[in-house]
Amino acid sequence: MLRPLSIFTLLCLSIPPLAHGHDLKLVVRNLSEPGGTLNWMMFDSAQSYDAGDNSVASGRHRVTGDTIELTLHGLPDGTYAVRLFHDENNNGELDTNLLGIPREGYGFSNNSGERGPASFDDAAVAVHGDQTIEIRVR
Amino acid sequence: MSLRRRQFLHLLTSLSAAQLASLEVLAAKEPAWASGFAGVVDDMAPHDLEVYGDIPSACHGTLYRNGPARYARAGRRYGHWFDPDGMIQSFAINAAGISHQGRFVRTAKFVEEQAAERFLYNGAGTVFRDSLPVRSNESTNVANINVQPLNGELLALWEAGSPYRIDPETLETRGRLHWNDDLDGVPFSAHPRFDERGHLWNIGSVPFVGQPSLVLYHVSADGQLRNWRVHKLDFAGYMHDFVLTPQYLIALNSSAVLESGETFVDRIHWRESQPSQLLVFDRETFDLLHTIEVPATFVFHFGNGWQDRQMLSFTACRYPNSDIVTHGMRRLAGQQPGPYHPAPELVRYDLSLQQRSAQITSLDIAMEFPSFDGRYPFTSQAVIGSGGQRNSESELGSAVQSVDPRTGEHQIFDYGPGIIVEEPLFIPGPDGGYVLHSFHDYQHQRSGLAILAAGRLAEGPLVKADMNRVIPLGFHGCFLSA
Ligand SMILES: [Fe+2]
């Protein structure tokens, strides 16, 4: 299971961790300003990714600096995609302008989605051993 | 940086002085005007111009200009005139003389790339390997097209995002203008127009998000957003400027259609078979009243508009296609010699709202960077602009001219090869007023200003002032009298 980073960290893992599973380190960089909450979700299929539910794991972390690192333990082999956003004003959602363009930071695994949202395939990372996923918030 | 230039600079690092001398011929192949696209890397500290002639007191004040200025970082160079970071130039003109300074707009992108000491993002027309994904257009807002006054400060305007606020005294950047959360980062064109009360009106073109759309803005003279509205468009034609009349806003949905492509410029495809649309909006309600089809057209800039009962008239600098933006501006920024794109042609549009038809009359004069006497925005009047593009070495104007769009009466002063005339502006004054413009003297590698009598342009400058440094060629600006 995830090692809690601080009391402000909330994490949900919806699959039972395997004793012989892999460690997945998630490094989130370039958080714009201290304050607010990092919201992330990890999916193992395009279906759940597109629907935005049945995430394999998810978490919320108070943002106190420009980087957050956390590690998931006991992850089975699989293909995973992470998406996240920086809820700067803690209103629980990714704020957008009238065109639906985000006004708060967000990111995807593989730093995919050159302009706007990434597909599951673009964001997918194959996990067969211990691994690090680095996401730059944009 | 162009490949040729990059290879050349690479060669330089490994050659002796004698070998370098033999390479001067190679270096000389870069066209002389290309120095206007070399760019600068630092703010330009205040510097006095050498002034020849007596400056009329009506011209005391400050000329502000904006334009692309940071072309290269860490061995990489932008390849399109739209790309480089904006720099505000100011020319303080008074009885003692003329002083110039330039300061980069501290956009989020500029600050981020300044710290990283390299380009992080693709430009509007340039792709870099390993560029970072963007949050929104704002990630690449370079605020490099125009600078206009609003409520005691200046706006450094781009067209695909929000303007940046600038201190008129220090040229320091005060941050991005935030109208409200809905409009945060929504396109706001670089060509706002002012009515007789000083209210600001603008369009914002949104060609990519869902169905293409156009945002209309009305801002009072004290900077308060009065009204805004989003209209869906039939297709995503490139739009850069529009026309304001006492009752209407008129936008041209051009036949340079934004489709697929890697960069903004790559997405622009000329569609000859797609008629352009003149969209006539009611100025108070922002309702779309008329859509009038005209033959496939590309226009960056319009002159002013006037209205005679049900007839709406305005001028435009029209191109037969969009080669200027897809090829010409690449070639200029890439410091490459021709072939040249077609020259812009001054035309007059007369729209009959009853018949929903447009009559288009060519004045058979090449013109760009049109402007007019801003005191009378809705009166038929001479349009001032740069000229001489048809014989130009660079394809940019070497002349300053004015044309009466009703009579065709034409005044022109052509400096000839060696001078590039930037956007001329009308300054009210005795005896018909003056025309003020900046210029790039690429024969002598000097930048400067000229003042002409508006009614006697052919006599040439009354005042010429220049200095021993080159300002990157820019786009648009404003004159604020003292
Ligand atoms: Fe323009």
Side-chain angles (χ1 to χ4, degrees), chain B residues 161-358:
Chain B
S162 301
Y164 273 84
R165 300 164 46 224
I166 303 288
D167 184 314
E169 293 298 322
T170 63
L171 306 185
E172 280 169 14
T173 304
R174 290 174 171 169
R176 201 153 59 82
L177 183 60
H178 182 87
W179 301 111
N180 60 41
D181 288 354
D182 280 338
L183 292 171
D184 187 31
V186 171
F188 188 82
S189 105
H191 288 284
R193 298 218 166 201
F194 296 93
D195 67 20
E196 66 281 18
R197 301 164 298 173
H199 287 215
L200 178 153
W201 304 77
N202 205 0
I203 61 169
S205 170
V206 187
F208 298 135
V209 186
Q211 196 179 341
S213 49
L214 186 70
V215 188
L216 306 178
Y217 299 86
H218 173 199
V219 179
S220 54
D222 61 358
Q224 299 302 308
L225 183 67
R226 288 282 188 90
N227 190 15
W228 59 274
R229 183 156 159 193
V230 185
H231 279 277
K232 297 292 181 200
L233 298 177
D234 295 340
F235 60 94
Y238 177 71
M239 283 186 250
H240 181 79
D241 190 5
F242 72 104
V243 177
L244 186 69
T245 77
Q247 279 176 272
Y248 306 105
L249 282 104
I250 307 156
L252 177 79
N253 197 13
S254 82
S255 303
V257 183
L258 285 129
E259 298 171 1
S260 58
E262 198 161 9
T263 65
F264 179 84
V265 172
D266 292 338
R267 291 186 184 105
I268 298 176
H269 296 269
W270 177 246
R271 295 298 178 217
E272 187 77 39
S273 60
Q274 169 65 62
S276 299
Q277 294 175 328
L278 288 165
L279 307 172
V280 182
F281 298 95
D282 184 286
R283 205 174 90 168
E284 293 311 315
T285 64
F286 281 169
D287 288 342
L288 176 61
L289 301 178
H290 306 287
T291 299
I292 300 172
E293 281 198 353
V294 291
T297 300
F298 183 81
V299 171
F300 272 128
H301 303 121
F302 295 97
N304 76 319
W306 64 98
Q307 198 174 329
D308 182 6
R309 285 185 290 274
Q310 284 300 295
M311 189 70 84
L312 283 181
S313 299
F314 56 89
T315 48
C317 299
R318 182 184 70 172
Y319 294 88
N321 56 45
S322 52
D323 283 0
I324 172 70
V325 62
T326 54
H327 296 82
M329 293 174 72
R330 275 195 208 288
R331 194 180 60 68
L332 289 168
Q335 303 175 302
Q336 305 290 317
Y340 303 107
H341 66 80
E345 177 186 33
L346 183 65
V347 295
R348 190 184 76 229
Y349 285 78
D350 297 298
L351 307 192
S352 162
L353 295 186
Q354 272 169 343
Q355 296 171 15
R356 301 194 178 196
S357 64

